[in-house]
């Protein structure tokens, strides 16, 4: 919380008005009292100037006995007690000034200084609410105080009010993002944004904020409605392309949909969740309109640096689930160009090669991966399987024999190793070893059934 700093001015030039005493009092008595007051007061200023605050307080107490209703005395007492870190005494003296002169904002500022130093933010709110009557800048402090006391609803209302009257600030926007991370405050903010859009339909920022909130709360249809409204009001907006993409896709106009999609993907303003949704919709469209596959490949490139979702990999899984091995292979290979150590994808690719009967590729790829990951048993299995299919039985036997030692607590993989070792020995004409490995595989299968 950054506190507003105000310079404290003394009243006038420390010209202290002397209260008129009772009528008929001798003039020399008045002059003596005035002289004692001024002497003590200026002594207090001197002592404060050399940071001798205790002595300054003593002098001011003498002044107080001479003029008990003089606000300057209490104000100076407050300042000296604050310097001494005697916070209660400081607050009490500043407060006395406000009771004598309710509109003395310097005294209110002194009370705020005390609250700030003692971290009494709840009391500070009461004081700062009064200070805002004198200086509107204190509303910035009030926002911070509401945040410190977790009065987020009040903070959000004040942030929105300040955004309208004095414009946005980075600090307030950070506070707002913090508040809106809690779903319970999003309802009022949505209502506020809807109201702002009605008042100023050409302000893109309000549409964007509302689309983001709807997207965060998985209200995709409402987000789309806002995007359509934005497109109507501001056709050149990047966010408008979100709704245009959906419109063109529904009309089966692939060329225009691609154009809108690329504008969305190139924009830094649009949330990645929305971009992912658009890509998924275009993937489904491409499945039925394969002539746009090149556009899909191009679109994937926008997500190369995405740390959360590996787009090419996920598209590969999409096609593998549909047993479209050719396209699954294509997108797994695309993903591995940028992330060559993703073992899950490597193994998915090995399986896709197997399913697509591409044993030459399987042998070459698994051999290369074995050099990089020499203790990964699945790679030895796929390499042995490929070489068996290519009738390279000697190589299959050697690779499988080396790889089986790395199999730990994986009965299914151990069964497959033994089956492939049986095939390799069968190809080599060693029937005894063939029966040994097939028998071992069957024994493991029977154990799994129990």
């Amino acid at each position: 919380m950054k506190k507003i700093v105000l310079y404290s001015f003394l009243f006038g030039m420390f010209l202290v008005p002397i209260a008129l005493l009772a009528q008929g009092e001798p003039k020399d008595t008045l002059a003596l009292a005035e002289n004692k007051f001024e002497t003590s007061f200026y002594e207090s200023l001197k002592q404060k100037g050399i940071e001798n605050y205790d002595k300054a307080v003593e002098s001011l107490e003498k002044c107080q006995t001479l003029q008990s209703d003089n606000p300057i005395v209490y104000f100076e007492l407050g300042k000296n007690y604050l310097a001494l870190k005697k916070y209660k005494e400081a607050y009490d003296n500043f407060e006395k000034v406000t009771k004598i002169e309710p509109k003395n904002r310097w005294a209110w500022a002194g009370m705020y200084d005390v609250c700030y130093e003692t971290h009494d933010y709840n009391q500070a709110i009461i004081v700062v609410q009064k200070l805002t009557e004198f200086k509107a800048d204190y509303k910035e402090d009030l926002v911070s105080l509401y945040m410190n006391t977790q009065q987020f609803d009040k903070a959000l209302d004040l942030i929105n009010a300040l955004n309208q009257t004095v414009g946005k600030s980075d600090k307030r926007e950070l506070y707002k993002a913090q508040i809106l991370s809690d779903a319970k405050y999003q309802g009022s903010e949505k209502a506020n944004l809807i109201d702002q859009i009605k008042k100023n339909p050409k302000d893109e920022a309000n549409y964007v904020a509302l689309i983001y909130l709807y997207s965060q709360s998985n209200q995709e249809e409402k987000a789309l409605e806002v995007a359509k409204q934005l497109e109507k009001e501001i056709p050149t907006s990047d966010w408008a392309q979100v709704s245009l993409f959906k419109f063109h896709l529904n009309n089966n106009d692939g060329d225009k949909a691609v154009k809108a999609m690329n504008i969305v993907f190139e924009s830094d303003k649009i949330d990645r969740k929305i971009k992912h949704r658009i890509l998924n919709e275009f993937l489904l469209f491409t499945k039925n309109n394969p002539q746009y596959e090149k556009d899909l490949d191009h679109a994937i490139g926008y997500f190369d640096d995405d740390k959360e979702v590996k787009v090419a990999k996920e598209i590969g899984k999409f096609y593998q689930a549909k047993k479209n091995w050719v396209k699954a292979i294509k997108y797994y290979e695309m993903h591995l160009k940028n992330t060559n150590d993703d073992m899950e994808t490597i193994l998915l690719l090995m399986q896709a090669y197997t399913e697509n009967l591409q044993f030459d590729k399987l042998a070459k790829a698994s051999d290369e991966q074995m050099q990089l990951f020499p203790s990964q048993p699945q790679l030895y299995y796929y390499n042995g399987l490929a070489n068996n299919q290519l009738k390279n039985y000697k190589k299959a036997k050697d690779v499988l024999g080396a790889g089986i030692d790395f199999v730990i607590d994986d009965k299914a993989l151990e069964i497959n190793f033994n089956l492939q070792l049986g095939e390799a020995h069968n190809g080599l004409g060693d029937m005894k070893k063939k029966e040994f490995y097939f028998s071992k595989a069957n024994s493991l299968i029977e154990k799994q059934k129990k």
Side-chain angles (χ1 to χ4, degrees):
M1 181 175 65
K2 184 178 178 183
K3 182 176 172 295
I4 293 174
V5 178
L6 293 173
Y7 295 98
S8 299
F9 296 97
L10 292 179
F11 305 82
M13 293 294 292
F14 298 111
L15 295 177
V16 183
I18 305 300
L20 292 175
L21 299 179
Q23 190 172 359
E25 189 173 356
K27 288 184 179 180
D28 57 347
T29 304
L30 281 170
L32 181 62
E34 182 178 354
N35 186 55
K36 284 183 179 179
F37 182 92
E38 289 182 356
T39 299
S40 296
F41 188 79
Y42 286 112
E43 178 64 18
S44 76
L45 295 179
K46 185 180 81 172
Q47 295 299 330
K48 186 179 73 171
I50 59 174
E51 299 184 358
N52 198 348
Y53 302 114
D54 284 318
K55 291 290 185 184
V57 168
E58 289 177 11
S59 295
L60 287 164
E61 286 174 342
K62 293 176 184 177
C63 293
Q64 185 183 354
T65 61
L66 294 167
Q67 294 185 17
S68 61
D69 59 349
N70 192 325
I72 298 174
V73 175
Y74 295 115
F75 183 75
E76 283 296 310
L77 278 167
K79 289 171 67 179
N80 281 282
Y81 278 128
L82 182 59
L84 288 166
K85 300 188 185 299
K86 293 185 176 181
Y87 297 118
K88 184 179 185 307
E89 292 87 345
Y91 191 92
D92 289 346
N93 278 282
F94 286 133
E95 189 174 35
K96 285 175 183 176
V97 178
T98 65
K99 289 179 179 177
I100 298 167
E101 294 181 345
K103 294 185 178 181
N104 188 324
R105 71 178 169 108
W106 308 111
W108 287 102
M111 292 164 69
Y112 181 27
D113 286 337
V114 175
C115 293
Y116 188 80
E117 289 292 325
T118 58
H119 307 292
D120 188 351
Y121 299 129
N122 286 304
Q123 185 61 28
I125 288 171
I126 296 170
V127 175
V128 173
Q129 284 172 335
K130 183 68 178 179
L131 279 167
T132 58
E133 297 176 13
F134 307 119
K135 192 174 180 67
D137 289 352
Y138 275 106
K139 289 181 180 179
E140 299 287 352
D141 281 45
L142 195 52
V143 171
S144 295
L145 289 167
Y146 283 143
M147 293 299 294
N148 277 340
T149 55
Q150 298 186 356
Q151 298 183 63
F152 299 126
D153 50 348
K154 291 181 179 180
L156 184 58
D157 288 343
L158 185 54
I159 288 168
N160 287 333
L162 288 170
N163 285 350
Q164 291 181 52
T165 55
V166 299
K168 296 179 180 179
S169 74
D170 291 341
K171 185 176 182 180
R172 275 186 266 116
E173 287 303 289
L174 284 172
Y175 281 151
K176 190 169 185 176
Q178 180 184 335
I179 295 167
L180 294 178
S181 65
D182 189 333
K184 72 180 179 181
Y185 296 105
Q186 292 178 5
S188 62
E189 178 60 10
K190 289 171 186 174
N192 169 63
L193 290 168
I194 291 168
D195 185 55
Q196 292 306 310
I197 288 169
K198 288 178 183 176
K199 291 178 181 176
N200 190 357
K202 299 300 181 183
D203 186 347
E204 182 188 45
N206 291 321
Y207 293 96
V208 174
L210 187 55
I211 290 169
Y212 178 79
L213 280 182
Y214 280 138
S215 176
Q216 287 296 97
S217 56
N218 297 316
Q219 294 177 282
E220 298 290 348
E221 291 304 318
K222 288 193 174 183
L224 183 59
E225 286 175 16
V226 177
K228 286 179 180 177
Q229 188 178 353
L230 172 59
E231 185 267 326
K232 181 181 177 182
E233 295 291 345
I234 312 173
T236 57
S237 167
D238 287 351
W239 280 91
Q241 301 302 315
V242 174
S243 64
L244 287 173
F245 166 79
K246 185 75 172 179
F247 175 79
H248 295 316
L249 217 58
N250 289 339
N251 286 343
N252 209 37
D253 191 335
D255 292 343
K256 289 183 179 179
V258 167
K259 183 178 179 182
M261 177 179 68
N262 288 335
I263 292 172
V264 170
F265 289 164
E266 288 170 3
S267 175
D268 294 329
K269 300 177 183 178
I270 297 173
D271 183 70
R272 276 194 178 270
K273 277 186 71 176
I274 291 175
K275 291 181 179 181
H276 285 145
R277 178 175 62 79
I278 286 176
L279 185 66
N280 287 337
E281 290 175 356
F282 191 67
L283 171 61
L284 295 173
F285 176 79
T286 305
K287 180 176 175 289
N288 298 318
N289 298 273
Q291 67 270 31
Y292 291 102
E293 193 171 308
K294 286 185 178 179
D295 297 296
L296 176 64
D297 295 348
H298 177 71
I300 292 169
Y302 289 111
F303 298 88
D304 284 346
D305 61 345
D306 195 321
K307 304 298 182 187
E308 295 181 11
V309 179
K310 303 303 181 185
V311 172
K313 175 180 178 178
E314 294 306 315
I315 292 177
K317 286 182 177 181
F318 169 83
Y319 281 118
Q320 183 151 348
K322 298 183 178 302
K323 301 189 183 304
N324 189 331
W325 306 112
V326 173
K327 288 187 178 178
I329 289 166
K330 172 183 173 179
Y331 291 106
Y332 289 146
E333 288 177 340
M334 187 184 295
H335 169 69
L336 289 170
K337 283 180 182 178
N338 297 318
T339 316
N340 59 9
D341 60 348
D342 183 347
M343 184 53 62
E344 182 190 17
T345 306
I346 290 169
L347 296 179
L348 286 169
L349 178 61
M350 300 297 110
Q351 185 60 31
Y353 283 146
T354 302
E355 298 286 354
N356 207 43
L357 307 180
Q358 291 180 265
F359 298 114
D360 282 323
K361 277 196 169 185
L362 179 61
K364 182 181 178 184
S366 58
D367 193 58
E368 289 172 353
Q369 295 297 337
M370 282 162 54
Q371 310 308 313
L372 297 173
F373 305 99
S375 61
Q376 191 65 247
Q378 291 95 330
L379 297 175
Y380 291 84
Y381 163 71
Y382 281 116
N383 191 264
L385 183 153
N387 279 295
N388 269 336
Q389 293 295 322
L390 295 170
K391 303 186 184 307
N392 298 325
Y393 300 118
K394 174 71 168 57
K395 186 171 183 180
K397 174 182 76 74
D398 292 342
V399 168
L400 291 163
I404 198 169
D405 291 336
F406 295 111
V407 179
I408 300 171
D409 296 329
D410 189 338
K411 294 301 179 187
L413 184 59
E414 190 178 352
I415 291 167
N416 285 332
F417 260 94
N418 281 286
L419 289 172
Q420 291 301 319
L421 279 164
E423 290 290 347
H425 285 288
N426 181 57
L428 291 169
D430 189 337
M431 296 301 109
K432 186 176 180 181
K433 288 269 183 83
K434 166 194 166 184
E435 291 303 325
F436 170 79
Y437 285 112
F438 281 163
S439 176
K440 191 173 182 180
N442 287 329
S443 177
L444 289 168
I445 292 169
E446 291 301 319
K447 284 181 181 179
Q448 277 197 323
K449 290 179 180 178
K450 294 178 180 178

